[in-house]
């Protein structure tokens, strides 16, 4: 486990920094995208890749993310659940490609995440705080089995219920949630399955 810890941390760090540098299009789901680079770097580190191989690996893997749709969440489309696994798989394929002599474009990350999947890429943001700031320290754990942007709405409702004491549900006519735009997009009420329920604030609040 200790042998794997550093490569995994480095893979997480690089993919997170590329994520931070990019302004990804709203229709793109982040799963299936940056993770390809993270997985590739982790495996490359485990295999003892040289600096030149690592650079090639970043550029090759940057050309291999999915065109993953964020709209799968609103539709409750479970194809979204393969995005993360696909990242890991494609990251390993990228390693094999570099070992076989394949090359990527000169700055694949900037092209893929600044022009294709995104609209802007700030290369300086990938280096800011390097060596003193670890992105994994800014991560979080979901306490509810829903989308990240729904967590705060559930927390707020639980706090309200705790302060109010016993509530007669029959007297509740509506629940108003004030939130930010990404969360507000999860307002669908026509939930037809358990997966879609994870991405509906009205369902979560009910």
């Amino acid at each position: 486990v200790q042998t794997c810890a550093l490569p995994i941390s480095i893979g997480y760090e690089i993919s997170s920094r590329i994520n931070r540098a990019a302004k990804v299009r709203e229709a793109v789901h982040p799963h299936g995208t940056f993770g390809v680079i993270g997985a590739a770097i982790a495996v490359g580190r485990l295999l003892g890749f040289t600096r030149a191989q690592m650079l090639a690996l970043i550029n090759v893997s940057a050309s291999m993310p999915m065109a993953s749709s964020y709209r799968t969440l609103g539709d409750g489309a479970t194809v979204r659940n393969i995005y993360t696994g696909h990242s890991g798989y494609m990251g390993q394929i990228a390693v094999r490609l570099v070992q076989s002599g394949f090359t990527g474009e000169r700055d694949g990350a900037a092209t893929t995440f600044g022009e294709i999947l995104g609209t802007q890429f700030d290369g300086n943001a990938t280096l800011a705080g390097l060596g003193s700031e670890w992105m994994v320290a800014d991560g979080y754990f979901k306490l509810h089995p829903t989308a990240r942007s729904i967590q705060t709405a559930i927390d707020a409702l639980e706090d309200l219920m705790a302060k109010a004491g016993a509530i007669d549900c029959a007297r509740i006519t509506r629940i108003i949630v004030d939130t930010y735009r990404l969360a507000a997009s999860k307002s669908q009420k026509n939930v037809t399955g358990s997966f879609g329920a994870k991405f509906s604030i009205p369902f979560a609040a009910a």
Side-chain angles (χ1 to χ4, degrees):
V1 174
Q2 291 178 344
T3 303
C4 295
L6 183 57
I8 291 172
S9 297
I10 292 174
Y12 185 98
E13 185 71 16
I14 292 176
S15 58
S16 296
R17 285 176 172 276
I18 291 174
N19 180 6
R20 181 172 68 179
K23 184 176 182 181
V24 177
R25 300 179 191 278
E26 289 188 6
V28 174
H29 195 299
H31 295 183
T33 54
F34 307 102
V36 178
I37 297 177
I41 292 299
V43 176
R45 176 77 181 194
L46 282 170
L47 294 177
F49 269 26
T50 65
R51 179 176 179 177
Q53 286 178 308
M54 282 295 197
L55 179 58
L57 187 55
I58 290 175
N59 286 323
V60 168
S61 60
S63 293
M64 299 172 66
M66 298 180 70
S68 48
S69 172
Y70 199 85
R71 292 172 186 157
T72 53
L73 306 185
D75 291 345
T78 54
V79 67
R80 173 262 187 194
N81 292 339
I82 70 129
Y83 292 170
T84 304
H86 187 273
S87 283
Y89 176 73
M90 295 306 289
Q92 295 176 66
I93 294 296
V95 170
R96 297 305 185 195
L97 290 174
V98 171
Q99 288 177 321
S100 301
F102 281 77
T103 60
E105 59 181 277
R106 185 173 58 186
D107 194 349
T111 299
T112 298
F113 299 109
E115 299 179 42
I116 300 171
L117 297 178
T119 58
Q120 182 178 321
F121 189 84
D122 178 10
N124 292 327
T126 63
L127 301 177
L130 188 64
S132 60
E133 172 194 10
W134 286 86
M135 301 295 288
V136 69
D138 292 328
Y140 66 94
F141 293 95
K142 293 181 180 179
L143 299 181
H144 309 288
T146 66
R148 170 179 58 88
S149 52
I150 296 180
Q151 305 282 306
T152 51
I154 298 175
D155 290 341
L157 183 58
E158 287 183 339
D159 288 345
L160 177 64
M161 293 174 67
K163 293 175 181 177
I167 297 177
D168 181 1
C169 294
R171 298 181 60 190
I172 299 175
T173 57
R174 61 179 176 168
I175 298 175
I176 299 174
V177 177
D178 289 328
T179 188
Y180 59 106
R181 187 163 56 89
L182 183 62
S185 68
K186 297 174 177 64
S187 59
Q188 56 273 14
K189 299 178 182 178
N190 57 334
V191 175
T192 58
S194 60
F195 182 70
K198 296 175 183 292
F199 304 98
S200 166
I201 289 182
F203 186 93

